[in-house]
Amino acid sequence: MSAAGGRSPLDTLRRINGSRPQTVAGERCDMCAEPIGEDHPHVVDLESRNLMCTCRGCYLLFTDQQAALRYKAVPERYLSFPDFAFGPADWDDLQIPVGLAFLFRNSVQDRVFAFYPSPAGATESELALGSWDRIVAANPRLDLLLPDVEALLIYGADRARAGFTCHLVPIDACYELVGTMRRTWRGFDGGQEARAAMDDFFATVESRSRPAGGRP
């Protein structure tokens, strides 16, 4: 028996199956489920604090950092602070046991958090508000930091001689570093593989950064 319009049920089924989009292996957008490539943007869920992998279209919906939305797009800018005023006493105030930390402002809780990478992942350090205020007072350009989506990456590989460096980076870059350290860390001091991975990471940060000049 023919279906309406002269088509048999089998013809109709074949047409429907032929119109379905081809299944694409790989990662998909956490918002619309569209396939995305390995190099894709991220959005922060302010309620859960989770990073969401997104397609470019969904990412662009949340790029207005002033909008009162649950989601915020993670920017792509990298800044350096060549005249970063920060010393061993400031580092002691952060209570970080290793030579690396990233700080970001949580807009929901209205406070600054400090984290450092460890074999177990990102470890939180208690950060007193007075410590943060003193750091910003000595470095007014740090007020460029956007809450939730950017972080200040403070590094003191050779604190005794070279001092500390500071970069403003996308928050997803920090979590990428934490994941790399977790995968490569060996023994008490991390081992050669972890140190090489950290060197590569900071070489990339340096190459992408531009000086934070002008007035805040």
Side-chain angles (χ1 to χ4, degrees):
M1 181 181 295
S2 296
R7 293 193 180 96
S8 71
L10 183 58
D11 289 335
T12 302
L13 181 60
R14 286 171 176 163
R15 180 175 59 82
I16 293 173
N17 284 338
S19 65
R20 290 176 178 172
Q22 184 177 3
T23 300
V24 180
E27 199 163 4
R28 291 181 176 271
C29 175
D30 288 333
M31 290 187 160
C32 72
E34 283 294 310
I36 54 178
E38 182 178 352
D39 185 16
H40 54 260
H42 294 99
V43 166
V44 173
D45 182 337
L46 300 187
E47 293 184 7
S48 68
R49 304 304 311 164
N50 289 333
L51 281 177
M52 303 177 66
C53 302
T54 62
C55 65
R56 194 68 182 176
C58 289
Y59 172 85
L60 292 175
L61 295 174
F62 305 103
T63 53
D64 183 356
Q65 297 294 329
Q66 305 304 318
L69 300 173
R70 172 177 173 176
Y71 305 100
K72 283 188 178 181
V74 178
E76 300 173 349
R77 68 172 177 172
Y78 286 75
L79 300 176
S80 63
F81 300 88
D83 300 323
F84 185 49
F86 189 87
D90 300 302
W91 188 257
D92 290 341
D93 280 346
L94 297 183
Q95 301 181 42
I96 304 294
V98 297
L100 173 65
F102 62 94
L103 291 71
F104 72 94
R105 179 175 291 279
N106 183 317
S107 64
V108 176
Q109 298 187 29
D110 193 25
R111 58 165 291 197
V112 176
F113 288 86
F115 288 85
Y116 60 91
S118 74
T123 302
E124 182 180 349
S125 175
E126 294 292 336
L127 180 62
L129 181 61
S131 301
W132 170 251
D133 289 342
R134 286 192 295 273
I135 294 171
V136 174
N139 302 273
R141 293 297 298 166
L142 299 186
D143 267 347
L144 288 169
L145 180 70
L146 293 175
D148 306 303
V149 294
E150 293 181 327
L152 295 175
L153 192 62
I154 302 177
Y155 186 39
D158 188 356
R159 301 189 292 273
R161 291 185 300 175
F164 296 85
T165 62
C166 181
H167 292 82
L168 185 151
V169 301
I171 191 70
D172 52 6
C174 294
Y175 286 109
E176 176 186 348
L177 175 61
V178 168
T180 299
M181 291 295 98
R182 188 173 185 176
R183 291 192 305 271
T184 60
W185 194 281
R186 300 292 183 273
F188 177 75
D189 63 352
Q192 184 175 354
E193 185 180 2
R195 289 193 293 271
M198 187 175 294
D199 289 342
D200 289 344
F201 174 82
F202 275 96
T204 300
V205 169
E206 289 284 356
S207 68
R208 294 180 178 179
S209 296
R210 60 179 178 83
R215 301 182 62 182

